[in-house]
Amino acid sequence: MDCRIIKIGGNVVDNPELLRQFLNDFAAIEGAKILVHGGGVMASRLQKALGQEPVMAEGRRITDAETLKAVTMVYAGWCSKNIVAGLQGTGCSAVGLSGADADLIRAVKRPVLSIDYGYAGDVDPHGVNTDFLLMLLRAGITPVICAITHDGHGQLLNTNADTIASCIASALVPVGNISLTYCFEKDGVLYDKDDDGSVIPEIGPEDYRTLKEEGRIAAGMIPKLDNAFNALHSGVGRVTITHARCLQSGKGTIIRL
Amino acid sequence: MDCRIIKIGGNVVDNPELLRQFLNDFAAIEGAKILVHGGGVMASRLQKALGQEPVMAEGRRITDAETLKAVTMVYAGWCSKNIVAGLQGTGCSAVGLSGADADLIRAVKRPVLSIDYGYAGDVDPHGVNTDFLLMLLRAGITPVICAITHDGHGQLLNTNADTIASCIASALVPVGNISLTYCFEKDGVLYDKDDDGSVIPEIGPEDYRTLKEEGRIAAGMIPKLDNAFNALHSGVGRVTITHARCLQSGKGTIIRL
C-alpha cells in the first residue's frame, strides 16, 4: 500500500483559516494518507494561562508533570479532536491518536545527560504498530497522530512531532511507496531566513553540510532536516518541506540523498 | 459478540489510586469490553484555573466556546490518554476515542428551549458507528470513549457520558449479549443518600416511580437511572450501578424491567 505522511506544525494548527484550507486540501488527497500534527504554540499559551512558564532547551520543551498534562490536553485533546471533526466535515473519516493508543508508538524516557528533559520520549524505531495503522487505512480511515507517546508501562511522554512523522514514514517502508511532507508557514527551506522568496529547490547531503557550515540553516530547521534525511536513509521515497497551503502544488524544498 | 460496557464517573478518574485499582480490575475482564469515562470534576478545575466559571443547569454544563475547549482538552486529552496509557501498562491494548473519531457518535446540538446549553450535543440513536467498534473489538483492542461527540459538519459537542454509555450499549444489542455497568463512588443507588450502607439491591420501573415520588432518589441519580431504563428497553441484558472498586464482585443495584 502506497501512503503519504504529512506533518503540519503548530503555527498551522493555531491558524483557523489556514488549517481549514489545509484540511480541505489534505482530504482531497486520494489513497492512503496519515496526518501528524504539532501544537507547540497552543501548548505554550495554555501553560502561560495556567501560570506555568514554558522552558525550552535546544528547541525542545522541558516536560515536568504539569507540562506533560498541559501538552497532552492540547495535542491529544483540543488539536487532535478539532482536526478530526474538521476532516469529518469534509467527508474524510479520521481518527485522532496518541502513541499510547493501540500501542501505536512506544518511546523511551530520554536519559538525563547534560539536560533533564523530564517526561520527554525518544521513539523506539521498532516501536511503531504498523499493523494497527494498516487496519485503519484498509478500512478507509485516516490516522491523525499527535506528538504524545508512551513507555508501555503507563507513562505518557512528550515527543517531537517531526521525529514522529519521520519514524511513522520509515516504519511503513516495507508496505509500499512512502512519501513524507513537512508543511509549515514558509514556502520551503530558505537560503536567507529573512527573504521568504529564497526557497532552496533541492537539498542533498553535501548541500546540507555546506549550508550548515555557512550558518544558512535556521536552528529550528536542523532537526527537521535531520529527520528528513533519516527517513530517506530508511527507504522513504520522497521528502518535501513546503508551505501548508502548497500541499497540492508540489512546490517547496525537495530533500534527496 | 457479547460485550460489557462499563462507565466510570469523573470522581473515579480524578482519584489516581482508585483509578489504578479500577483499571486493573477492568483489564482482567475477559472478552469484549468498552470503557466510557467522565471527567467533570477535572474539567471544572481546569475551567477555574483558566479564570472561567463553570455554569451548570439541571446537572448539565452550559458549554460556550471556551468551555468546549476546556472539556475537550480534559476528556479527550488528559483523561483519555492517561486511562489508555494505564491500560497499556496492564497489557490491555486500548484506544481512546471521542465521538468525532471515525464518526463514532453523531449528535445534534441541543435546541434552545428555556435554557441555551451552547455546544451541548444530544446523541443521535442511529448515529453510533458499531462497525468501527466491532473492528477494534475483533482485533482485541478495547475502545475507551469520552463524552465529546460531533455533528458531522466539523463541530465538536459536549455530551453526557451516562447517555453515551447507554447509547453505545443499545447500539450493540444486535451483535450479542450486552451488559452495562455504571461505576461511581457509592456502592449503588442509596435508599438514604446520607447512609452509604442503604444500597437498594434491585430497582424495577414501579420501584423507581415510588422512590421518585418519595423524593428518595438524589437529583444527580435520575438521569443515570433514566439512561439505565432506556438501555433495558433497547434490549441490553443487564444494567448495574455500583462502586468502581466492586466491578468484579457483582455487588450494587441491579436495574430491571
Side-chain angles (χ1 to χ4, degrees):
Chain A
M1 181 190 287
D2 298 346
C3 186
R4 282 191 72 174
I5 289 84
I6 294 159
K7 190 255 166 179
I8 45 170
N11 287 324
V12 182
V13 181
D14 193 37
N15 179 331
E17 184 45 39
L18 183 55
L19 180 64
R20 196 193 55 75
Q21 192 196 317
F22 170 84
L23 293 180
N24 282 333
D25 292 345
F26 176 81
I29 295 172
E30 296 199 10
K33 53 188 182 281
I34 294 174
L35 182 59
V36 178
H37 64 88
V41 194
M42 293 160 89
S44 294
R45 201 183 303 135
L46 177 65
Q47 284 194 275
K48 285 175 192 160
L50 291 171
Q52 299 166 19
E53 191 50 52
V55 184
M56 312 296 279
E58 299 181 353
R60 302 290 162 98
R61 196 180 301 267
I62 306 275
T63 309
D64 63 8
E66 285 306 304
T67 304
L68 182 67
K69 212 163 166 172
V71 296
T72 305
M73 290 198 291
V74 170
Y75 302 165
W78 182 247
C79 293
S80 177
K81 301 318 167 190
N82 194 34
I83 289 171
V84 166
L87 285 174
Q88 296 293 356
T90 71
C92 169
S93 193
V95 61
L97 301 164
S98 74
D101 296 296
D103 199 15
L104 182 60
I105 310 164
R106 200 67 81 96
V108 215
K109 188 169 180 293
R110 186 169 305 162
V112 179
L113 300 170
S114 55
I115 301 167
D116 182 357
Y117 285 94
Y119 296 108
D122 293 318
V123 178
D124 170 357
H126 304 289
V128 177
N129 184 349
T130 52
D131 287 347
F132 180 64
L133 290 176
L134 292 173
M135 181 177 82
L136 294 176
L137 293 169
R138 287 189 183 120
I141 297 169
T142 296
V144 171
I145 302 174
C146 72
I148 301 292
T149 58
H150 77 138
D151 70 354
H153 305 288
Q155 181 63 55
L156 294 167
L157 294 166
N158 183 19
T159 301
N160 180 268
D162 287 345
T163 310
I164 284 185
S166 173
C167 289
I168 297 271
S170 300
L172 287 171
V173 163
V175 308
N177 284 321
I178 307 299
S179 77
L180 171 61
T181 310
Y182 286 110
C183 291
F184 70 142
E185 70 285 4
K186 301 279 177 190
D187 286 351
V189 182
L190 303 180
Y191 188 72
D192 172 356
K193 70 175 173 43
D194 298 321
D195 176 6
D196 281 356
S198 68
V199 174
I200 307 169
E202 199 175 280
I203 300 179
E206 282 194 33
D207 311 319
Y208 184 35
R209 223 175 347 258
T210 314
L211 287 163
K212 275 198 291 189
E213 279 165 14
E214 291 174 355
R216 290 269 167 206
I217 305 276
M221 189 50 77
I222 291 177
K224 205 185 286 291
L225 281 163
D226 287 340
N227 278 309
F229 282 110
N230 285 342
L232 291 170
H233 283 297
S234 302
V236 171
R238 188 185 170 89
V239 181
T240 316
I241 300 180
T242 189
H243 198 291
R245 51 162 199 264
C246 297
L247 187 58
Q248 293 186 317
S249 72
K251 284 186 193 168
T253 303
I254 293 170
I255 316 300
R256 60 153 182 81
L257 286 187
Chain B
M1 181 192 288
D2 299 347
C3 187
R4 282 191 72 174
I5 288 85
I6 295 161
K7 190 255 166 179
I8 45 169
N11 287 324
V12 181
V13 180
D14 193 37
N15 179 331
E17 183 47 38
L18 182 54
L19 179 63
R20 198 192 54 76
Q21 192 197 315
F22 169 83
L23 293 180
N24 282 332
D25 292 345
F26 176 81
I29 294 173
E30 295 199 10
K33 52 188 183 279
I34 294 173
L35 182 59
V36 178
H37 64 88
V41 194
M42 293 160 90
S44 295
R45 201 185 302 136
L46 177 65
Q47 285 194 274
K48 285 176 193 161
L50 291 171
Q52 300 165 17
E53 189 53 50
V55 184
M56 313 295 281
E58 298 181 357
R60 303 288 162 100
R61 194 180 303 265
I62 306 277
T63 309
D64 63 8
E66 285 305 304
T67 305
L68 181 67
K69 211 162 168 174
V71 297
T72 304
M73 290 200 290
V74 171
Y75 302 165
W78 182 248
C79 293
S80 177
K81 302 316 167 191
N82 193 33
I83 289 171
V84 166
L87 285 174
Q88 297 292 358
T90 70
C92 169
S93 193
V95 62
L97 301 164
S98 74
D101 296 297
D103 199 14
L104 182 59
I105 310 164
R106 200 66 82 96
V108 215
K109 188 170 180 292
R110 186 170 305 162
V112 179
L113 301 170
S114 55
I115 301 168
D116 182 357
Y117 284 95
Y119 296 108
D122 293 318
V123 178
D124 169 358
H126 304 288
V128 178
N129 185 349
T130 52
D131 287 346
F132 181 64
L133 290 177
L134 293 173
M135 181 178 82
L136 294 176
L137 293 169
R138 286 188 184 121
I141 297 169
T142 297
V144 172
I145 302 172
C146 72
I148 302 292
T149 58
H150 77 138
D151 70 355
H153 305 288
Q155 181 63 55
L156 295 167
L157 295 166
N158 184 19
T159 302
N160 180 270
D162 287 346
T163 309
I164 284 186
S166 173
C167 289
I168 296 271
S170 300
L172 287 171
V173 163
V175 307
N177 284 319
I178 306 300
S179 78
L180 171 62
T181 309
Y182 285 111
C183 290
F184 70 142
E185 70 285 3
K186 301 278 177 189
D187 287 352
V189 182
L190 303 181
Y191 188 73
D192 173 356
K193 71 175 172 47
D194 298 321
D195 176 5
D196 280 356
S198 68
V199 174
I200 307 169
E202 200 176 279
I203 300 178
E206 283 195 29
D207 310 318
Y208 184 35
R209 227 177 342 263
T210 313
L211 287 163
K212 275 199 289 190
E213 279 165 14
E214 290 173 355
R216 289 270 167 205
I217 304 277
M221 189 50 77
I222 290 175
K224 205 184 286 291
L225 281 163
D226 287 341
N227 277 309
F229 281 109
N230 286 344
L232 290 169
H233 283 297
S234 302
V236 171
R238 188 185 170 90
V239 181
T240 316
I241 299 178
T242 188
H243 198 291
R245 48 160 202 265
C246 297
L247 187 58
Q248 293 186 318
S249 72
K251 284 185 193 168
T253 302
I254 292 169
I255 317 300
R256 59 152 182 82
L257 287 186

